[in-house]
Amino acid sequence: MEARDATAGSLVSSDGEEQTAKDAPTKDTPQTKGKFEKIFGFRREDLTSWDSLVTLLNRPSDPASLGIFRCLFGLLMVIDITQERGLSHLDYKFMDGAPVCRFPLFNFLKPLPLDWMYLVYVVMFFGALGIMLGCFYRLSGLMFISSYWYIFFLDKTAWNNHSYLYGLIGFQLTLMEGNRYWSIDGLRRPSIRNAQVPLWNYTILRTQIFIVYFLAGIKKLDADWVEGYSMSYLAHHWLFDPFKVILPVELINLLVVHGGGLILDLSAGYLLFFDATRPYGIFFVSYFHCMNSQLFSIGMFSYTMLATSPIFCYPDWPRRFFARFPAFLSAVLPITSTDPQPSTSCVYNEIPSTSTERQETPTVPKASKMRLKHKLGAIFTILYIMEQFFLPYSHFITQGYNNWTNGLYGYSWDMMVHSRSHQHVKITYKDGKTGEIGYLNPGVFTQSRRWKDHGDMLKQYGTCLNEFLPRYNISEPEIYFDIWVSINERFQQRIFDPRVDVVKADWSPFRPNAWLMPLLVDLSPWRTKFQEIEGSLDNQTDIVFIADFPGLNLENFVSEDLGNTSIHVLQGKVNVEVVEEKKNYTLTPGEQIKVPAGAYHKVYTVSEGPSCYMYIYVNTTEAALQENFTKLFELQERVRNGTEVNATDPIVQLFLKRQRRMKEVKKRREAGAVERLQRFAVKKYYTIRRGLLMTAIALRNLAVGLPPLEQLTREVAFANMKAPQAEGNQDDPLKDEVGHGEL
């Protein structure tokens, strides 16, 4: 029997000589391998014709590794549904009946009524559970991917690379023979139990994971990543404290965070490919994903990627692993027999001899020649791999989704390459009949923030506002957005033209967005100067760098807390209008002006090219706080002792709030492993509890109708029950005095 199998890479990899010796064929199969075959697991001749390629991709392979991965993936998706998919807060996510602006991939996609949305999640849950157990496998796979992709396409604001990956893997598993090992289907149908699977099942999975790593590395060849601007804040995380013993934070950011991330992504797929480097690859990617689980709130992604690493090992590794367990556990553990039965899903060059043990069970007819399904499996494998390599670079087709970064973020594997900060967001509406102008709170009618960076979502948001505002006596509204963004520590600048009425603006997925403002990449070298200027400031002084286009102006309001704010011109020419004083001041490079606190001012760019300037401001409340630290500390002690103080003083309030925050942060950081685990477990328990209870309420409503409002209110309140609060500590009186317990 041909037991050789692929272990990594875009197609296949080697088994190693010991695997060949152990599972040697019983008939006239060559006993020696060439150097090429030892390295890659297949011969050059296997690629010389279509028939030989189909035979290679349908070569019989051990189902054990695929079965274990299927089980782990299903388990992780079951957990994910209550968390990142949103089952625990589904009512807040969809807000049934409320005026909410949504951002589906296709505008005709609408969420179902809330109770029916819970039913969709139930379908997805049982689909994931069926995948995990290998129970009614094809049906479970269809249940999972149909509901998953519906929810995925329903909300672009929730898109990310790993959510996209889950959908792809679910789709792949649905088409594979994943229920051949350690599955309920195998118990129901002895003919498929422990049956071999075609090689393309492993080929697609391994290639998919290779693409995730390798293309993520290719995307990190971006200049901003290489120069250390994409994720510079990560170097301050406690996970990098061991590196701080020998390296300054700046080098940790450049060499460890950015350099290490680039090298790992580019090399991970290759390290996992070869037998000699696979142990090192598994070690480094495991360390990498364990760190990511602490650095980012990315749900099950780190654990899913950990579960993919064994896919690159010999496909019979579960048999050897579970064979080490005590014999009395064999009833519940996966099969450890090293003799899987043949399957019609595979192509056999020769009919393998049947062992004595196998004669005890019925054998499946063995295919000795290619059939249509074998050719279809090979065609699907090739087309899928080509599509996955092409799609991340298909932005020349979907040009309407290109902004400062290309395409929809959730399918390009450009993970963490771009970081953004928003300094100023203003939504202006104009009544089309009366000409009345007003302003909207950014984010009104939506819970999402991602619309601020994407032209397609901005168009959807503006259209939605145009539909809702007439309910508030605003006729034929025009909607204008003024959004200031800094990408990868550049100047804050406009991303969209604030003079364009987004409601009437043209947008197409296949044409460039005409009202997208260009990213001022020519000003990128200023970032080095930014770091020098910021390093020269004290703790009470902050700075914001602004770049603007000729003919436009920035309208800004200076908070009363910022009593010492000034504008310094770096490049170009600006005109500063102080609105209340009705005065104008023209500034050129090197000049500055102080602007009043608690008032509006406008900065006009009057030069022929873009202007660059910076706001330098001192938080006078913070400064006063530092100057009176000793006095305020005494006030805090008086509060702790129950002595009455004037907690209405804003400086006192700020100090007490700051002290509580610092104590809470310190307490969490110094918590022991047991306390951390307990806090994590309690949080997850109440999250899952709410999701299950709200689902039960929704299913009851669908089955028998809505109960009386009082009963429904009690049921929802019971589902919303939180963990008991910790016993009161010495900070509790402070919360009472200040009147605000939020940290």
Side-chain angles (χ1 to χ4, degrees):
M1 178 178 62
E2 183 69 27
R4 186 178 56 204
D5 190 15
T7 57
S10 60
L11 281 177
V12 289
S13 176
S14 64
D15 263 0
E17 296 182 8
E18 68 278 10
Q19 186 77 358
T20 305
K22 182 179 70 173
D23 292 329
T26 58
K27 296 203 175 181
D28 300 329
T29 303
Q31 298 297 315
T32 59
K33 294 181 179 180
K35 185 176 180 180
F36 184 90
E37 187 175 2
K38 289 180 180 179
I39 295 175
F40 295 100
F42 61 93
R43 300 167 300 170
R44 290 188 181 94
E45 292 78 7
D46 292 332
L47 305 179
T48 56
S49 68
W50 170 245
D51 287 348
S52 61
L53 180 59
V54 173
T55 301
L56 172 65
L57 291 175
N58 287 276
R59 188 169 64 191
S61 306
D62 197 307
S65 184
L66 180 63
I68 294 300
F69 175 72
R70 178 216 78 228
C71 184
L72 292 175
F73 177 77
L75 173 62
L76 292 169
M77 292 303 98
V78 167
I79 299 173
D80 177 79
I81 287 170
T82 62
Q83 298 184 57
E84 195 170 1
R85 292 319 109 206
L87 178 62
S88 62
H89 56 278
L90 199 60
D91 48 336
Y92 299 110
K93 182 179 177 69
F94 291 102
M95 300 183 68
D96 195 21
V100 178
C101 295
R102 306 190 188 280
F103 305 91
L105 178 61
F106 307 106
N107 288 329
F108 65 82
L109 283 176
K110 305 291 182 183
L112 301 173
L114 183 59
D115 289 341
W116 287 98
M117 287 303 300
Y118 273 104
L119 181 60
V120 171
Y121 272 72
V122 168
V123 171
M124 182 166 57
F125 177 85
F126 280 106
L129 187 64
I131 291 174
M132 181 184 76
L133 299 176
C135 181
F136 298 103
Y137 180 67
R138 302 285 187 209
L139 176 61
S140 296
L142 289 173
M143 289 168 60
F144 177 75
I145 63 172
S146 59
S147 52
Y148 186 94
W149 284 105
Y150 167 66
I151 294 168
F152 184 81
F153 289 140
L154 203 57
D155 185 12
K156 286 184 291 188
T157 67
W159 280 30
N160 51 47
N161 289 276
H162 60 266
S163 295
Y164 173 58
L165 178 64
Y166 298 162
L168 292 178
I169 293 177
F171 169 67
Q172 295 167 21
L173 287 176
T174 301
L175 300 179
M176 295 176 183
E177 311 291 346
N179 60 340
R180 290 338 190 216
Y181 185 79
W182 205 29
S183 68
I184 293 178
D185 286 348
L187 297 177
R188 296 189 305 109
R189 299 168 57 195
S191 62
I192 69 169
R193 187 185 186 198
N194 199 28
Q196 291 171 324
V197 298
L199 176 59
W200 66 264
N201 284 201
Y202 286 103
T203 300
I204 289 181
L205 275 176
R206 291 162 178 162
T207 306
Q208 183 69 74
I209 303 307
F210 177 87
I211 287 173
V212 172
Y213 284 121
F214 185 69
L215 290 191
I218 294 295
K219 298 286 185 174
K220 287 181 174 61
L221 292 174
D222 180 84
D224 286 355
W225 183 276
V226 174
E227 295 173 9
Y229 290 109
S230 296
M231 294 283 124
S232 59
Y233 63 89
L234 288 182
H236 298 279
H237 196 278
W238 63 266
L239 280 173
F240 296 96
D241 286 350
F243 298 100
K244 296 174 185 176
V245 177
I246 56 175
L247 293 174
V249 173
E250 293 78 11
L251 285 181
I252 292 174
N253 170 56
L254 184 62
L255 300 179
V256 180
V257 176
H258 291 87
L262 172 62
I263 294 172
L264 179 73
D265 280 335
L266 286 175
S267 62
Y270 295 101
L271 291 175
L272 293 170
F273 187 103
F274 298 105
D275 291 349
T277 58
R278 190 173 303 117
Y280 304 102
I282 291 178
F283 171 78
F284 284 116
V285 299
S286 298
Y287 181 74
F288 174 72
H289 292 303
C290 288
M291 288 187 66
N292 282 345
S293 68
Q294 300 299 311
L295 288 170
F296 308 107
S297 298
I298 50 179
M300 294 293 106
F301 177 62
S302 299
Y303 310 104
T304 303
M305 292 304 292
L306 288 173
T308 63
S309 294
I311 284 289
F312 290 86
C313 299
Y314 302 141
D316 70 336
W317 72 262
R319 302 180 189 276
R320 290 179 277 118
F321 175 75
F322 290 109
R324 296 186 175 94
F325 284 71
F328 69 88
L329 295 176
S330 60
V332 295
L333 290 178
I335 298 172
T336 57
S337 168
T338 59
D339 198 14
Q341 63 173 320
S343 167
T344 57
S345 299
C346 306
V347 174
Y348 296 88
N349 289 329
E350 301 181 49
I351 299 178
S353 61
T354 305
S355 65
T356 304
E357 294 179 357
R358 188 177 299 157
Q359 289 176 358
E360 299 175 0
T361 59
T363 59
V364 178
K366 296 172 286 295
S368 58
K369 62 180 181 179
M370 284 181 287
R371 298 180 181 178
L372 177 60
K373 66 178 180 180
H374 302 135
K375 296 179 181 180
L376 291 177
I379 292 172
F380 170 73
T381 301
I382 295 170
L383 292 179
Y384 181 85
I385 292 173
M386 292 174 59
E387 178 266 344
Q388 281 298 300
F389 273 107
F390 168 76
L391 194 59
Y393 296 96
S394 62
H395 308 310
F396 65 94
I397 298 175
T398 55
Q399 298 182 71
Y401 296 105
N402 297 344
N403 298 286
W404 288 349
T405 57
N406 286 332
L408 291 169
Y409 181 76
Y411 70 91
S412 297
W413 313 119
D414 50 353
M415 294 168 281
M416 305 300 174
V417 177
H418 306 103
S419 61
R420 298 176 176 85
S421 63
H422 299 82
Q423 185 68 26
H424 180 76
V425 179
K426 183 173 70 173
I427 305 177
T428 305
Y429 69 82
K430 180 179 179 181
D431 191 305
K433 290 186 176 180
T434 66
E436 177 188 359
I437 295 177
Y439 303 95
L440 299 175
N441 181 34
V444 64
F445 300 124
T446 182
Q447 302 177 61
S448 171
R449 298 180 180 180
R450 193 176 284 190
W451 55 267
K452 294 181 288 188
D453 298 311
H454 302 273
D456 58 306
M457 296 188 200
L458 204 71
K459 175 65 177 179
Q460 289 175 308
Y461 190 33
T463 303
C464 177
L465 293 176
N466 179 65
E467 295 174 356
F468 285 153
L469 289 182
R471 305 180 187 180
Y472 302 90
N473 298 322
I474 301 171
S475 304
E476 302 176 7
E478 302 172 5
I479 309 294
Y480 303 89
F481 293 91
D482 193 12
I483 302 172
W484 292 75
V485 186
S486 169
I487 185 170
N488 294 343
E489 301 187 15
R490 289 181 173 84
F491 280 101
Q492 291 278 344
Q493 66 156 95
R494 288 183 168 95
I495 185 170
F496 301 110
D497 193 332
R499 299 164 294 191
V500 173
D501 174 14
V502 174
V503 177
K504 299 177 182 177
D506 181 49
W507 182 86
S508 168
F510 306 111
R511 293 194 303 272
N513 189 348
W515 33 279
L516 172 72
M517 304 296 283
L519 177 62
L520 297 173
V521 292
D522 294 341
L523 302 178
S524 297
W526 275 95
R527 290 182 291 192
T528 304
K529 186 66 174 178
F530 296 168
Q531 295 174 348
E532 296 176 3
I533 296 174
E534 290 173 336
S536 65
L537 302 177
D538 56 39
N539 293 332
Q540 285 79 47
T541 305
D542 288 309
I543 193 167
V544 177
F545 297 94
I546 302 291
D548 204 3
F549 296 90
L552 297 178
N553 69 87
L554 168 65
E555 183 180 17
N556 202 2
F557 177 82
V558 179
S559 171
E560 295 180 354
D561 289 335
L562 309 179
N564 186 9
T565 301
S566 57
I567 300 174
H568 301 243
V569 178
L570 304 173
Q571 179 178 309
K573 185 177 180 181
V574 303
N575 190 305
V576 180
E577 176 189 356
V578 181
V579 178
E580 290 187 354
E581 298 178 2
K582 297 182 180 180
K583 293 182 179 180
N584 292 275
Y585 306 89
T586 301
L587 303 178
T588 56
E591 297 182 336
Q592 65 184 55
I593 185 176
K594 184 176 180 180
V595 291
Y600 279 94
H601 66 272
K602 296 181 180 180
V603 183
Y604 297 85
T605 296
V606 295
S607 54
E608 294 182 358
S611 66
C612 307
Y613 50 94
M614 60 183 178
Y615 280 90
I616 297 181
Y617 57 92
V618 177
N619 192 325
T620 51
T621 303
E622 180 77 5
L625 175 64
Q626 294 294 333
E627 293 174 2
N628 295 279
F629 184 85
T630 303
K631 178 181 177 181
L632 290 171
F633 188 78
E634 293 174 355
L635 289 175
Q636 185 190 37
E637 290 298 321
R638 292 174 59 188
V639 172
R640 287 177 176 173
N641 296 331
T643 306
E644 184 178 355
V645 298
N646 179 21
T648 59
D649 187 328
I651 296 180
V652 176
Q653 289 183 342
L654 179 61
F655 177 77
L656 298 181
K657 183 177 181 179
R658 179 182 179 183
Q659 289 298 105
R660 289 195 304 274
R661 184 184 298 113
M662 292 173 62
K663 286 181 177 293
E664 182 65 24
V665 170
K666 182 179 179 181
K667 179 181 177 181
R668 287 180 173 270
R669 285 181 176 176
E670 295 178 352
V674 175
E675 184 179 347
R676 288 172 181 263
L677 181 60
Q678 180 183 12
R679 190 165 59 218
F680 174 82
V682 169
K683 179 181 178 181
K684 295 304 179 185
Y685 166 75
Y686 281 95
T687 297
I688 296 173
R689 174 186 180 275
R690 186 181 193 277
L692 295 179
L693 289 176
M694 293 297 292
T695 301
I697 294 172
L699 296 181
R700 189 275 318 277
N701 294 344
L702 291 175
V704 300
L706 287 172
L709 182 59
E710 296 79 6
Q711 178 184 341
L712 187 60
T713 302
R714 291 195 304 269
E715 292 172 346
V716 173
F718 179 72
N720 288 334
M721 186 176 67
K722 300 291 185 181
Q725 297 294 323
E727 294 182 5
N729 55 39
Q730 56 187 359
D731 283 341
D732 289 342
L734 303 182
K735 298 178 183 180
D736 296 335
E737 289 290 340
V738 176
H740 192 352
E742 181 181 354
L743 298 180

